[in-house]
Structures are given as structure tokens and as C-alpha cells.
Amino acid sequence: MAEPHGTGPAAAPRGGEAEEPKQGSLAVPGGGEVKSSAVVKYSSAPPQAAFARLQEKTDLKLPPANWLRESARLGPAGTAILGSSKKSTPFSSFGMAYDFIDSIGNDVDVVSDSENIKKLLKIPYSKSHVSMAVHRIGRTLLLDELDIQELFMRSSQTGDWTWLKEFYQRLIDQKWQRKKKSKEHWYQKAILSKFLYYSINGDGAAQPVPSSSKQHQEGPVPGEGDEAGRASWPAPFEMPSSLSEDPGASNQGSVPLEPSYIVGHVASAPKEQNLTTLFNDGENSQGLKNDFVRNILWTFEDIHMLVGSNMPIFGGGRYPAVSLRLRDNNKPINVLTGIDYWLDNLICNVPELVMCFHVNGIVQKYEMIKTEDIPNLENSNFSTKVIKDIAQNILSFLKSNCTKEGHTYWLFKASGSDIVKLYDLTTLCEETEDKYQNPFTMPVAILLYKVACNMMLKKNQNKKHYGTIRTLLLNCLKLLDNGRHPQIIASANYMLSELFQLDEPKKEDSTDFPINGNSDESYSEEEEEMPDSDENGSYSNSSDPPDDNKAVAIIKSVGELSVPEKYKSVHRIRPSCTFPVCHGTEERCRLVLSYVLEGLKSVDSSVKKESDLPAADPSTPIPLKYEDESTSGGPECLEKQMALFLDKMGSFQKGKHSSQSGMIPGSWQYKMKLQLILKSSKAYYVLSDAAMILQKYGRALRYIKLALQCHDTYCCICASMLPEVLVFLCQCLTLCGDIQLMLAQNANNRAAYLEEYNYQTKEDQEILHSLHRESSCQVFAWATDLSTDLECQLSVSCKCYEAAYEILLFSNLKKQNPEQHVQVLKRMGNIRNEIGVFYMNQAAAVQTERVVSKNVSTTEQQLWKKSFSCFEKGIQNFESIDDATNAALLLCNTGRLMRICAQAHCVTEGDFKREFSPEEALYYNKAIDYYLRALRSLGKRDMHPAVWDSVNWELSTTYFTMATLQQDYAPLSRKAQEQIEKEVSEAMMKSLKYCDVDTVSPRQPLCQYRAATIHHRLASMYHSCLRNQVGDEHLRKQHRVLADLHYSKAVRLFQLLKDAPCEFLRVQLERVAFAEFQMASQNSSAGKLKTLFGALDIMVKTKCAFQLIRKELAAESEQISKDESNTENTSTNDSSTGLNKEEVLKLLSIFESRMSFLLLQSIKLLTSTKKKSGAISEEEITLKTNKQVYSLLLRATANKSMTLLERIEVILNLLEQLTQSSEAATGGVQ
């Protein structure tokens, strides 16, 4: 047969260091194998001592000199090692679980004392009773002995657990009593203990035997007494009295503490909540310590078990690791003993067993047996394959039925019975009495909490484990009572809130979060019901007695456990552990706030209320302050509130503030409440931000108010402000400023916003009540009140940004948070622009209402100053962060303000003629300076084309307006006509320079119209100069050329525009007049005739303008006809088209008269020319056509009944005839 690899635990490290696994395979009869490996995770045993072979005839009834005494060589654990048969404590598995928290819920299937494991695997072979408590944490089962009789002894004294006693008595034969241990039992225990002490190699025990030693021979070995056993059971849910007397005891343990934010750090907690004592050594450990000599990770086939063992192991010499057993030579080894020995060696990876045989206490002989030979001993034959099947079946049975985390299950088999039953004690307890009567409630809750803490602290934790953590914490909370355990409840709720990342994208990754519903339980009902199917073994209890209907599951015969795969674990371990899929930011934040509220309630309930603290009624809403413009103090009041706030913020740095509720700084309540308040503040901030995106500005303001109230309370409690908290405060104030700005810009929906703002949920009210225990929550009231005054809202918004900026400034956070700094300055620049525009519009409105003759009022001047100041500060803000584009926009707005100032000074006093004033010129020039600064700021068009085009347009408009005013209201009282003309010409040309007619954009038609108008005005000016000027012929010629040039350009541009026929017509008529003026100074008939034909040609070219006018008139006429057919009420409104009919009529009359004049002159000149030079066919044709057209024109103008459309039709017809004549006679005239 093959030996197991390795030499057992001889070199087991101390202090919890693990060995490499030693994998062995044991051959079994029938050719099968069982796989077993063991790793010592922790050992407190001293280096293994070689055992001393006792001489034959050694009398074990006589005590050795070292019996029950500690040996320096053995160390303090020696007594525990050699008293190996000591009864296990009721919570031994929890002690191990606390020490190896990383393995719980994930890697290990079972945690238990080795004695419990052996007892379970011997069930089919043994008639003795089995009573065990089973708890589930994830995939891990914790098994502990549940000594019912011992509990009942305690119950008779204290009155606890009467419900279990009554239930138990219904289950079993009432006459059945626990057998008292016989004298033989104690005799065997005593000689085993003496044998082990004799076997220690060395003379360290050579001391006289105390005279009282005889009493021990028949008395119990220490650790075996009933009293000792009972003392290990804690009161159901009470802390020991000595704990409150000695709060310092908590610091004696060796259990590592979690960081304080998870409040596993409980050393500083008040006495009644000092949880650390639950995990430490000493009288008050409540059995929750790991008191095994070694903890072993045992893998048996595919089952991973964390096992506690106290088996003494000896080594040295030829035998590096052996177990030592004492046997009565008269009693053969039975199957139960063989299984015991085999499993012990397997668990501890000991390759050999040494048996010492005695008769009546007298040593006879020694025998050495290999571990793999134990199953084949005479009278002790058993199949290791069957043991493996039993192990797998029991584990499958338990995992399939112990499905609820936090519940205490009871696995029970009565003595002599073949039926094994599983009960859910937690459910039974809740049906009868208070759930806290269950003695396991507290240890289970602590374990769930510690496993969750451990998972939270892992740096590389994947989000897919969040569902597991949440399930652990929710199950932990179900077991705890707020009155007794506020600290764990507060901490668990805080951790639950931490699971929801508020600053992450809303969409959850479906691979990380299986969408299987939001069940608080880890296990679905479907899966819990599956084991009832026939193929998985019969769990039905329909044929059992009525009392058995309380059982969760039943194994009808222990023989079933030996059948391979009789019970299959169909229940998946944590099938989903679903993390709730939040379908929106609000849902996620609301979940966080619900956990925060529960945490706050726990903290508040544990703090003694001060007598002068007003009682807060959670059902009474706390009014949200609301002011209208009649009660608000305006911007001046804001300045004071802002100063007070900044003063308070400065004092926070000095740490002068304290809690109103009497919390002690540094206490767990203090630390936890700070974290909970900060978490709620962040949740409200995210809610506010989400409401902003949805444009629910009233709701957004309510949430940011709650966020700032939380922050105010945090500041009141906290002694020193962390940089990240101050940065978060800046973010809150910045968002508050954004909301106030949006409220100002959407004043139309104020009623709806007010309704949203005043709404409060019960949850919000309760959180506010908790906040008011510490602070008045009024520090930020100035920022979060909903005002109905637009100016006030804008000012509040600005103050919020200024406050955020000041915090960054005095906290030296500017460099560490450059993005935040830039964002705040950008918003400050923006709000100052908004306020500047607000004051500028107010000034414009005052100007409009002012009587024309009055001077500029003081109100206007004040508004200008305020507006200018805001623009200047805003420009500085943007320039400080190199935001050239926004700086350019603000410079552009400042230019607009200057133009409004200029317009305010364009007044006429009395009957004096209106002139362009010096003040107007001053402000227009200032406006031009600001526009030029804006262009310099941008640098080039590529930087921001839209802004560049806008500034250019405004600059062009300013030059154009100034030139137009100078031209129309020439300041002749101050300047000469020539100077004015020069200035107008220069301004017009500069306007043209910044008027981009070539770039294709939505503004291109406007630019073309502006350029055409400028050319038209310049042409008119030079035309006027030419008419009025006498003398300098060179200058006259220059003006004539310029007038002709600008008229031509104006015509070309107006022709491009399809919506300005009247302007085009006017320019052409002016050109005709210009031709007539030139003709008047001509003497020769040929010259006059040429000019006349040129003027007529200009008139012919107006045909396109008349066609546009006709088209618009026809469309209007058609629309009127439709309206008349649809309704009886006809509309005579001309606004349906952009055509000004009065202007068209005026221009048409001028056109008819000038055309009539030109035709008449041409007829006269052509007739006289014909008489002198004889017949010329081309001129005859022209003369004939002109006469005909002239005749028709005279008839048309004489007919007053013709409509406008008919008159235009006549003109178009006449122009068409002239066009044909001109084409026919072109060569002859020339």
C-alpha cells in the first residue's frame, strides 16, 4: 500500500503561518481511493516531543510527578494539549471563523471541531444521539455541538429557552433522561491523562505527587466538569457584568481591528458596546475564541474543511509524527474507534499510530500501525469509500436545506434512532418568543458582519461581490436589535450605503450584476424547494408524527447516507446574490439615504439626549424657509451673510465647534455620524445634480439645500476639515450657484419650482431631525432660499461661486484642484456676465420709458456702473484662466453697454435741430475699443469662428451707426461739412472692412444688405456733394467717379439679394437722377442723347425688381382669395408679406414720372437729329418705340382706377418693349 506523502505536521509553523499542502492518497479495499490533504493554518503547540516508551508493568493508576502541572518545555499550552479530550466549547467554530475570516463564505465548506466531524461521519455506525447547531455563511457551514441537556439545566435556573425545552420534550420520549457518566468513564479518562504525562520524554516532571492526587483518580479531568461546560454558554444577549466594570479589558486581545470607518474598530466604544471583548481571551470571551491547539485546512475528496484539533502529536527519532493511543487489551477495537483513529490521523496528516495496550492500568505492550492500515484492523474493518460517501451525502443534505444565512439550524438524531431531523430554530424561536432568546444570534451576526467587513477592505474587490456583501449585511441586520447593538447596526448600514457608488455611471454592467431581482435573501424560493424532488432523496415528512412538521428536512434512515450520491447538493452557493439594479440616479441615492437614515437612528439612540434639547417629532415636517422680494434683504443682506459664513469657515479650521447632542469627540458615535452625514450630503448632491439635468430646478434646490444642511452639521461636529471635504463643499456651492442661475433664467415656471422646493419626504424629514440634534443647519440658508426676485437670485448665484472660490483660496486647495478652480472661475465670469446683462437691459428699459427731451437720470448711471463693474470682473475671471473666447464675449457685451450709453445721450433740447453729440461720439468710440480688444483676445477667426464673426458684425454695426448718425444729424455747429464727410466716409469704409460679405454663413445676407446700404449711402453723399459743390473741378470729378462707383456696387449687392426690390429700385432711381444731373450740364445733342439712353438702360434694368414686387403682390392676392373662400371675415392685413405697399406706390410714381420725362426728352432729341441728318433706320425704330411706350405710359398714368398690380404689369410690359427696341437699335445710336 502507498504511504501518504510528507511527514505530517512535525514542522508545523507557529503564529498562523501555513505549510505547503501535503497531498496523500490512501488505498482502500476494492481498489478505490480517497484523496486527503491537510495544511496546518495555525499551531500553538510547542515543538513536538518524542514520546517515551513506558516499561512493561508500569502502573498507570499511579499519577506521575508532573501530572496536571505545566512544564517549561511544554509551554502554557501543555495542559491543553495533554488534556486533549476536553469538551469543545459551544461556539468553537465561530472562534476559528473569526481568525480565518478570508476563508469564510468562499473557500471552505465546513468549519468545525474535529470531534464534530467524526461524530457526523460515524452516524450510520453509531446508535448515540447527535445534536449540532448549523449556521450558514455563504458557501460555508459552521457546525457546533448543541448540548440540549446543558441548556435545559441553565433554563431551569434562569428561565431562558423554555420554548426550546418544551419543543424538545414533544420530540422525544418524555421518560428519556441523560445518562450520567459512570465511574468507569472517569477512571478511563484519568489513566489516559496519566499515560500521556508519563509519555513525555524527560525529567521535567520529577516532583513529588500532591497528597490530593488520589482525589483526581476518580474525579473528572479538568475541563470535563458539567459546571465548566455550562460556564461556556453565554447569556442570550447580555454583556457580562465585569465587562462594564473593566472597559480597558478590550485592549488585551490579539484580534486585528478594522479601520475606524467600518467601526470594526470598537476599542474606543462605550462600555456597553465594546464588541472586541467578544473576540478576546479571558473569562468574558463568551466562547468566541479559537482555543484549539491547531487549525487545519483539511481537504477530503472535494470537501474543504477548516478543522480545530487538540490531538497530541509526538515526534522525533524514527517517527517524525505519530499519534499515541491507550487501549484496554481485554477490549477489541471496534469500528467506531477505528474510524476515530483513522480520521484523527487523516485530519492531522499523521502517517502512523502508536497503540499502548494495558490490562487494568498495567502497561503490556506497544504496537505501531500505519494510517492507511487502520481501516483493515481486525474487528474494525470499514470502507473508506463509504466514509467518503457519508461525508458527501451529509454535506449535500445540509447545504440543500440550511439555506438561510443568519438562521440557526439544529441537526438532531435521538439516541438509538435511525432518523435524522433538521430544524430551523430561528423560525421556531420567532414563532414562540423573542428572537434574541437564541444564544447563537449574536455570534452569527458578528460573523456575518466581520465577513462583510473583510470583503469591503479587500483592495482588489470586484463589483460583482457587492451583492454578496449586501446580503451578508442585510442578514446581519435582521439578527440585531437596535437597542442592544447600535454600533454594529450603524456600521452595517454605513457599509451598505458605501456599496452604491454615487459618482459612477448610471448603467450597471450586466456581467457584474446579474439581474435576478432585488431579493434580500441570497437564495431564491425555487431553489429552496428543489430538494423535495424524489431523485434527490426523500425529504417528505407526510408520514411522520404531527410534531415533525416543524422539521425542515428529514433523513428517514441513516443507512441512506452510505449510498453514493444519495443526496445531491442541488442548491447553488449564492446563486445570484443580486445587487439591486437601480434604474436611475434617484433610485440609487434613495437607497443610500435609507441606509444612512437607519445608521443615524442607531447612533442617535445610543447618545444620551440632553435635557435642554427640544424633542423632535419625526411626523412634524421641518419648514423650509421661503422669502419673497418684500422680505428679503437683497444683495446688501447677502454680503453680510456671506461675510459671516466665511468667518465661520475660517473658524472651522481652528476646530472650535462641538456637538449639541453631547457626543464625545473620538467616540464611535462621533466618527460614525460624521461618515453618515457626509455620505448623505453626497447623496443629496447627486440627487440635486440629476434634478438639474432633468430641468427640475425647484427639486434640485431642495436637494442641494439638504446637502448643504448635512455639510453644515458635519462642520459643527468635525474638529478639523479634511481637504477633500472642503473640495466637496466647493462642488455643492458651485451646483447651488448653477441652480439659482437656472431659476433666474426660467422665471416663467416659478410656481412649479416652488411646489417642488417645498415638497418633503418622510425620510428627508427624519434625516433633518437627526441633523438638528447637532446643528441649527442655517449657515447656508442665504444660498438655498428660493426667492422670487430675479436680481436676488442672480446675486445669490454669484455669491455661491464667490464662496466656493474663497474656500479654495484660504484652504490652499487651488493648486491641488486646478480643474475645480478653473470651473469656479468660469462660472464666476459667466454669472457676472449675466448680472451685467441684467443691469444693462434694465438701463435700456429705463431709457425707453424716459421722455425724449430729458437728460440721463441718476438711476441709469447707477445701472451702467453696476453693469460695467460686473463685466470688468467677469473679463478678469476669464482672462485669469486664459479663456479668450468668453473674455471676448464679455468685451463684446461691454461694447454693447457703451452703445446703450451713447444712445442715452442722443437727445434734442427744445426746438433746436438734433445733432450728433460729443458724448455719443465718446461712447461709440469706447464701444469700438472694446470690440477691437475682443478681436485681439481671439487672435484669429479659427479660434472660434462664430464668436469672431459676431464681434466683427457688432464692430461693423457700431461704425455704421456712428457714420449714419453723423450723416443724418451732421454736427455742423461744431465741424465743417468737409470734415464731417471725411469722417463719415472713413467710418463707412471701416464698417465695410468688418462686414464679411464673402463667407457663407447665416449672417451673409445681412452683411450683403449692410454693404449695399453703405455703398448706397456713400454714393448718395458724393451725389449730394456734387450737386451742392461749386468750384474745384478736380474734386467734382472725383466725387462723380466715387458716386458712380458706389452706386454700381450697391446695385450689384442689391441684385444678389432677392428680398430687397424697393432698395434696388431706389438706388436705380437715384442713378437716373444722377444721369439727369449730368445731362443738364451737357451741351451737345449727341452727349445728351447718350446720357439719356444710359438712363433709360438703368430703368430697363429695374425689370427684375418689378418682377419680384409683382410676385409678392400676386402671392398676397392669392392668400386673400383663399381666406375669403374659407371664412367670411376677410383680412386686409398687409403684414403677410414683407412688402411695404406705401413705399412701392411712392417709388412707382417717381419711376413713372422719370420714365415719362426721359422718353419725352429722347423723342425730342431724336426728332431734331432726324431733321438734320436725314433718315437713319435704327433711330427711327427707337423713336417709333419710344413714342409708342410714351403714349402707353401717359394713358396708364391717366387711368386712376388701375390697381397697384395692374400698374406694375403695365410698367413691366413697357420695359419689355424698350428692351427689344434697345437690342434692335444698339449699333445705330452709338
Side-chain angles (χ1 to χ4, degrees):
M1 292 187 184
E3 289 189 12
H5 301 294
T7 56
R14 299 192 59 166
E17 296 177 16
E19 284 187 343
E20 288 300 314
K22 298 180 178 64
Q23 182 74 36
S25 62
L26 301 175
V28 294
E33 277 190 346
V34 289
K35 294 175 185 175
S36 172
S37 68
V39 179
V40 178
K41 302 289 282 184
Y42 167 81
S43 175
S44 62
Q48 290 169 11
F51 72 95
R53 273 181 179 264
L54 303 184
Q55 294 178 359
E56 281 188 42
K57 309 301 181 183
T58 301
D59 190 352
L60 296 178
K61 294 193 290 296
L62 297 176
N66 65 344
W67 192 40
L68 303 182
R69 291 169 184 264
E70 288 192 6
S71 164
R73 254 180 348 115
L74 290 174
T79 310
I81 291 171
L82 297 177
S84 62
S85 298
K86 187 178 75 168
K87 181 179 174 63
S88 66
T89 54
F91 298 103
S92 59
S93 68
F94 289 89
M96 281 190 284
Y98 294 149
D99 281 358
F100 299 99
I101 206 76
D102 273 341
S103 301
I104 306 305
N106 297 315
D107 310 326
V108 173
D109 295 298
V110 176
V111 179
S112 187
D113 183 348
S114 60
E115 296 300 314
N116 295 333
I117 300 287
K118 291 190 292 181
K119 190 177 283 190
L120 280 176
L121 297 184
K122 291 188 294 184
I123 283 178
Y125 300 93
S126 172
K127 292 293 183 182
S128 62
H129 88 288
V130 175
S131 176
M132 287 189 197
V134 186
H135 296 90
R136 184 180 197 130
I137 306 291
R139 64 168 279 178
T140 306
L141 296 175
L142 278 70
L143 306 179
D144 292 281
E145 184 177 356
L146 185 60
D147 194 329
I148 296 293
Q149 295 295 324
E150 199 170 289
L151 278 179
F152 294 166
M153 287 181 200
R154 180 181 178 85
S155 176
S156 61
Q157 295 169 11
T158 63
D160 297 331
W161 306 313
T162 52
W163 60 274
L164 187 56
K165 187 174 183 178
E166 291 168 6
F167 175 68
Y168 181 69
Q169 286 173 343
R170 289 201 305 272
L171 283 180
I172 61 165
D173 182 0
Q174 303 228 354
K175 295 175 184 178
W176 186 89
Q177 293 295 326
R178 186 181 189 179
K179 290 181 181 178
K180 291 186 178 179
K181 289 183 171 64
S182 63
K183 284 187 178 182
E184 176 65 20
H185 170 81
W186 297 120
Y187 164 75
Q188 293 295 340
K189 287 281 184 187
I191 66 166
L192 172 60
S193 178
K194 291 167 190 173
F195 164 68
L196 290 171
Y197 274 88
Y198 271 123
S199 298
I200 296 169
N201 189 18
D203 58 357
Q207 293 179 21
V209 182
S211 58
S212 61
S213 63
K214 290 184 180 180
Q215 298 172 7
H216 292 289
Q217 293 182 22
E218 298 189 4
V221 175
E224 284 298 319
D226 288 348
E227 289 302 318
R230 281 200 300 276
S232 63
W233 281 93
F237 239 122
E238 298 165 7
M239 293 296 177
S241 59
S242 61
L243 177 57
S244 59
E245 294 164 10
D246 183 16
S250 63
N251 299 321
Q252 297 170 6
S254 60
V255 176
L257 300 174
E258 288 81 5
S260 58
Y261 85 92
I262 294 187
V263 190
H265 180 64
V266 287
S268 61
K271 306 171 203 174
E272 65 269 22
Q273 290 305 325
N274 200 332
L275 303 178
T276 318
T277 51
L278 294 177
F279 318 133
N280 291 338
D281 297 336
E283 290 181 0
N284 302 322
S285 66
Q286 298 202 14
L288 300 187
K289 63 176 182 177
N290 183 359
D291 54 1
F292 291 104
V293 172
R294 61 184 66 81
N295 301 125
I296 300 154
L297 190 59
W298 180 39
T299 304
F300 185 56
E301 287 292 314
D302 58 346
I303 304 168
H304 303 284
M305 292 178 264
L306 181 62
V307 182
S309 173
N310 289 325
M311 185 179 79
I313 300 174
F314 296 87
R318 288 176 51 205
Y319 315 111
V322 296
S323 57
L324 200 55
R325 302 287 182 173
L326 184 65
R327 290 297 306 165
D328 189 334
N329 209 18
N330 297 326
K331 296 178 183 176
I333 297 174
N334 60 23
V335 172
L336 294 177
T337 308
I339 292 172
D340 245 8
Y341 291 174
W342 182 68
L343 288 173
D344 270 333
N345 276 17
L346 221 54
I347 289 168
C348 296
N349 211 16
V350 175
E352 290 177 295
L353 162 69
V354 174
M355 280 202 284
C356 175
F357 293 91
H358 74 97
V359 177
N360 296 324
I362 307 298
V363 174
Q364 299 296 313
K365 62 174 180 177
Y366 279 84
E367 190 176 325
M368 186 165 285
I369 304 165
K370 288 186 177 180
T371 301
E372 62 263 35
D373 294 337
I374 296 172
N376 304 317
L377 291 175
E378 191 178 351
N379 299 321
S380 177
N381 283 354
F382 62 89
S383 166
T384 56
K385 183 76 165 56
V386 171
I387 301 296
K388 180 206 65 166
D389 291 336
I390 293 167
Q392 289 175 334
N393 278 326
I394 287 175
L395 182 65
S396 296
F397 173 77
L398 291 175
K399 284 200 169 182
S400 296
N401 296 291
C402 301
T403 54
K404 294 177 181 176
E405 273 181 328
H407 280 227
T408 298
Y409 292 90
W410 179 31
L411 186 71
F412 177 73
K413 181 176 89 73
S415 181
S417 171
D418 277 350
I419 299 172
V420 183
K421 298 177 183 178
L422 185 72
Y423 298 94
D424 184 346
L425 290 188
T426 303
T427 306
L428 293 173
C429 180
E430 287 170 353
E431 287 174 3
T432 54
E433 290 187 25
D434 180 8
K435 68 179 175 183
Y436 303 110
Q437 289 292 323
N438 181 348
F440 285 98
T441 301
M442 183 63 178
V444 174
I446 294 289
L447 185 57
L448 288 165
Y449 171 75
K450 284 179 74 70
V451 172
C453 283
N454 184 61
M455 293 182 80
M456 281 287 279
L457 289 170
K458 286 184 181 175
K459 289 180 182 175
N460 300 324
Q461 188 60 258
N462 194 312
K463 271 193 195 175
K464 64 187 177 186
H465 294 129
Y466 278 12
T468 304
I469 297 170
R470 178 173 176 270
T471 304
L472 287 165
L473 291 170
L474 289 174
N475 287 329
C476 170
L477 288 170
K478 285 178 186 175
L479 299 175
L480 295 172
D481 174 49
N482 192 38
R484 295 178 173 111
H485 308 97
Q487 183 180 8
I488 308 179
I489 289 174
S491 177
N493 276 297
Y494 176 67
M495 280 196 284
L496 281 167
S497 73
E498 279 290 284
L499 292 175
F500 295 85
Q501 299 299 313
L502 296 174
D503 53 351
E504 291 191 355
K506 296 171 200 171
K507 290 185 180 178
E508 310 290 3
D509 188 349
S510 60
T511 58
D512 284 354
F513 302 103
I515 303 173
N516 292 337
N518 297 347
S519 171
D520 286 351
E521 292 290 340
S522 308
Y523 317 103
S524 70
E525 290 176 12
E526 267 186 69
E527 287 164 325
E528 287 181 20
E529 290 167 4
M530 281 176 72
D532 289 342
S533 62
D534 293 336
E535 65 179 284
N536 294 319
S538 174
Y539 295 164
S540 167
N541 53 15
S542 58
S543 60
D544 292 326
D547 285 333
D548 287 344
N549 59 13
K550 300 285 186 184
V552 174
I554 294 173
I555 298 173
K556 290 188 174 181
S557 170
V558 291
E560 293 179 353
L561 294 173
S562 304
V563 179
E565 298 186 10
K566 174 67 176 175
Y567 296 98
K568 292 178 184 176
S569 181
V570 293
H571 186 84
R572 286 165 54 212
I573 308 305
R574 292 195 189 282
S576 61
C577 277
T578 51
F579 195 70
V581 178
C582 300
H583 299 291
T585 304
E586 182 155 3
E587 189 181 342
R588 186 164 66 248
C589 291
R590 278 289 160 202
L591 266 172
V592 169
L593 289 169
S594 67
Y595 293 131
V596 166
L597 176 58
E598 290 306 313
L600 287 172
K601 284 178 179 176
S602 295
V603 173
D604 292 341
S605 69
S606 68
V607 179
K608 291 178 181 176
K609 293 181 181 177
E610 295 294 329
S611 57
D612 57 348
L613 192 71
D617 178 13
S619 63
T620 306
I622 295 173
L624 288 168
K625 193 177 173 188
Y626 168 71
E627 291 183 355
D628 57 23
E629 62 270 27
S630 61
T631 57
S632 64
E636 295 78 11
C637 182
L638 271 177
E639 292 285 352
K640 292 177 186 175
Q641 290 177 321
M642 177 75 184
L644 287 169
F645 158 68
L646 289 174
D647 179 56
K648 186 169 183 180
M649 285 306 298
S651 66
F652 285 152
Q653 306 302 305
K654 301 167 192 172
K656 292 180 180 175
H657 294 265
S658 61
S659 161
Q660 291 179 9
S661 66
M663 277 195 307
I664 302 161
S667 65
W668 74 264
Q669 290 101 329
Y670 173 85
K671 292 176 181 176
M672 180 48 65
K673 192 154 190 178
L674 276 178
Q675 296 298 332
L676 287 167
I677 288 171
L678 191 59
K679 189 71 180 179
S680 61
S681 185
K682 287 178 179 176
Y684 282 127
Y685 171 84
V686 174
L687 280 170
S688 181
D689 192 44
M692 262 287 280
I693 294 166
L694 295 171
Q695 298 180 350
K696 302 284 185 182
Y697 303 123
R699 187 195 303 174
L701 185 63
R702 169 163 56 89
Y703 283 137
I704 204 65
K705 175 168 187 166
L706 287 163
L708 286 168
Q709 283 177 321
C710 291
H711 211 289
D712 181 11
T713 308
Y714 182 93
C715 296
C716 281
I717 304 172
C718 192
S720 60
M721 297 288 280
L722 296 170
E724 53 266 31
V725 177
L726 285 172
V727 170
F728 175 62
L729 175 57
C730 289
Q731 291 172 344
C732 287
L733 287 166
T734 305
L735 181 59
C736 188
D738 294 346
I739 295 163
Q740 292 283 12
L741 175 58
M742 288 297 103
L743 285 165
Q745 290 178 346
N746 294 273
N748 295 338
N749 296 329
R750 190 169 279 141
Y753 296 146
L754 183 59
E755 188 178 343
E756 288 173 7
Y757 177 73
N758 287 325
Y759 174 77
Q760 261 192 320
T761 65
K762 190 171 185 291
E763 198 173 63
D764 295 339
Q765 290 171 25
E766 289 180 341
I767 289 174
L768 266 178
H769 279 296
S770 180
L771 299 179
H772 280 126
R773 288 171 58 87
E774 316 300 336
S775 159
S776 62
C777 303
Q778 289 301 312
V779 170
F780 298 98
W782 58 270
T784 55
D785 288 333
L786 179 57
S787 172
T788 55
D789 179 55
L790 185 60
E791 182 182 354
C792 185
Q793 284 177 323
L794 291 170
S795 299
V796 167
S797 178
C798 187
K799 295 300 172 190
C800 286
Y801 298 139
E802 287 172 6
Y805 180 71
E806 289 296 326
I807 291 167
L808 287 174
L809 216 57
F810 72 63
S811 305
N812 298 319
L813 294 169
K814 195 166 70 170
K815 290 180 182 176
Q816 293 96 317
N817 299 275
E819 286 184 18
Q820 182 79 7
H821 179 242
V822 168
Q823 284 300 317
V824 170
L825 277 171
K826 192 168 276 190
R827 282 171 164 80
M828 280 171 69
N830 180 58
I831 190 63
R832 282 167 171 165
N833 177 55
E834 290 288 338
I835 297 171
V837 169
F838 170 76
Y839 287 133
M840 180 168 68
N841 291 339
Q842 276 200 324
V846 171
Q847 182 184 310
T848 308
E849 292 166 7
R850 177 163 49 91
V851 179
V852 178
S853 60
K854 284 194 176 180
N855 291 324
V856 177
S857 65
T858 311
T859 308
E860 277 181 89
Q861 290 177 339
Q862 288 297 323
L863 290 168
W864 292 344
K865 284 178 184 176
K866 286 180 180 178
S867 179
F868 182 73
S869 172
C870 289
F871 287 140
E872 281 289 290
K873 287 176 184 174
I875 291 163
Q876 288 170 11
N877 292 146
F878 286 125
E879 285 179 345
S880 68
I881 55 172
D882 299 322
D883 189 343
T885 306
N886 280 317
L889 286 170
L890 261 76
L891 286 163
C892 202
N893 277 340
T894 314
R896 187 176 152 220
L897 175 66
M898 295 300 110
R899 283 161 62 191
I900 287 172
C901 295
Q903 289 164 16
H905 288 88
C906 65
V907 293
T908 53
E909 295 183 12
D911 296 328
F912 290 104
K913 187 184 176 186
R914 155 96 167 93
E915 282 192 359
F916 183 67
S917 67
E919 289 82 8
E920 284 179 270
L922 174 70
Y923 282 115
Y924 276 122
N925 282 315
K926 279 186 178 181
I928 287 164
D929 288 342
Y930 280 111
Y931 288 129
L932 290 171
R933 265 182 71 187
L935 288 177
R936 284 197 297 274
S937 174
L938 288 169
K940 52 187 177 180
R941 187 176 186 271
D942 296 345
M943 189 170 177
H944 203 298
V947 177
W948 177 271
D949 291 346
S950 178
V951 176
N952 269 291
W953 172 254
E954 294 297 332
L955 184 55
S956 172
T957 303
T958 308
Y959 276 123
F960 177 71
T961 306
M962 192 165 69
T964 305
L965 289 170
Q966 276 187 294
Q967 190 176 12
D968 293 349
Y969 306 104
L972 293 169
S973 60
R974 300 194 319 276
K975 296 180 183 178
Q977 180 72 33
E978 290 81 6
Q979 187 183 353
I980 293 167
E981 287 170 2
K982 184 183 176 185
E983 287 177 4
V984 168
S985 177
E986 285 175 359
M988 288 289 190
M989 293 312 291
K990 283 179 180 175
S991 181
L992 272 175
K993 176 185 173 183
Y994 295 106
C995 188
D996 185 2
V997 294
D998 300 321
T999 304
V1000 177
S1001 68
R1003 196 181 268 123
Q1004 190 184 25
L1006 277 176
C1007 291
Q1008 289 173 338
Y1009 185 85
R1010 164 75 52 75
T1013 306
I1014 289 169
H1015 285 300
H1016 179 200
R1017 278 186 161 272
L1018 284 171
S1020 297
M1021 185 179 78
Y1022 291 128
H1023 185 178
S1024 176
C1025 292
L1026 194 63
R1027 281 177 179 278
N1028 300 328
Q1029 212 166 30
V1030 182
D1032 192 345
E1033 190 59 36
H1034 172 71
L1035 194 62
R1036 285 173 62 81
K1037 186 178 180 182
Q1038 189 179 1
H1039 285 162
R1040 188 185 304 112
V1041 171
L1042 286 170
D1044 194 46
L1045 173 70
H1046 286 296
Y1047 275 132
S1048 301
K1049 287 184 177 180
V1051 167
R1052 182 176 60 79
L1053 287 165
F1054 278 129
Q1055 269 183 320
L1056 292 173
L1057 296 165
K1058 301 298 181 186
D1059 56 351
C1062 293
E1063 287 82 351
F1064 178 70
L1065 198 55
R1066 188 181 292 109
V1067 174
Q1068 293 290 56
L1069 286 172
E1070 283 190 28
R1071 288 182 75 191
V1072 168
F1074 184 62
E1076 287 179 10
F1077 174 72
Q1078 286 179 298
M1079 190 175 68
S1081 59
Q1082 289 175 327
N1083 297 319
S1084 67
S1085 297
K1088 282 186 178 182
L1089 200 58
K1090 184 178 179 181
T1091 305
L1092 268 173
F1093 279 124
L1096 280 170
D1097 188 49
I1098 290 168
M1099 288 215 150
V1100 168
K1101 286 177 180 175
T1102 61
K1103 186 166 65 172
C1104 60
F1106 282 114
Q1107 284 172 340
L1108 283 171
I1109 292 169
R1110 179 182 64 181
K1111 185 179 177 182
E1112 288 195 34
L1113 288 170
E1116 185 186 347
S1117 177
E1118 188 179 336
Q1119 185 63 40
I1120 290 169
S1121 301
K1122 279 184 183 178
D1123 291 342
E1124 284 176 349
S1125 62
N1126 292 336
T1127 58
E1128 292 180 2
N1129 299 325
T1130 59
S1131 173
T1132 57
N1133 189 3
D1134 293 339
S1135 62
S1136 58
T1137 66
L1139 204 62
N1140 186 339
K1141 287 186 180 178
E1142 288 182 13
E1143 189 176 6
V1144 171
L1145 281 167
K1146 185 179 173 185
L1147 289 170
L1148 185 60
S1149 299
I1150 296 168
F1151 186 88
E1152 287 172 344
S1153 67
R1154 297 334 298 155
M1155 189 177 177
S1156 175
F1157 171 77
L1158 289 174
L1159 286 170
L1160 180 61
Q1161 293 301 317
S1162 68
I1163 291 166
K1164 286 180 180 179
L1165 282 170
L1166 283 171
T1167 305
S1168 62
T1169 306
K1170 181 185 173 185
K1171 288 177 181 176
K1172 290 178 181 178
S1173 57
I1176 300 171
S1177 60
E1178 289 83 357
E1179 286 186 0
E1180 275 186 357
I1181 295 166
T1182 304
L1183 179 61
K1184 184 180 177 183
T1185 304
N1186 286 2
K1187 282 181 179 179
Q1188 188 179 349
V1189 169
Y1190 182 62
S1191 172
L1192 290 169
L1193 180 61
L1194 287 176
R1195 285 183 200 151
T1197 50
N1199 186 358
K1200 302 296 182 184
S1201 62
M1202 288 177 75
T1203 63
L1204 180 60
L1205 188 59
E1206 288 170 343
R1207 287 173 67 185
I1208 287 169
E1209 289 285 1
V1210 169
I1211 294 293
L1212 281 169
N1213 185 35
L1214 296 176
L1215 290 174
E1216 184 61 34
Q1217 290 183 37
L1218 285 173
T1219 304
Q1220 292 169 2
S1221 170
S1222 174
E1223 287 171 358
T1226 302
V1229 176
Q1230 300 302 324

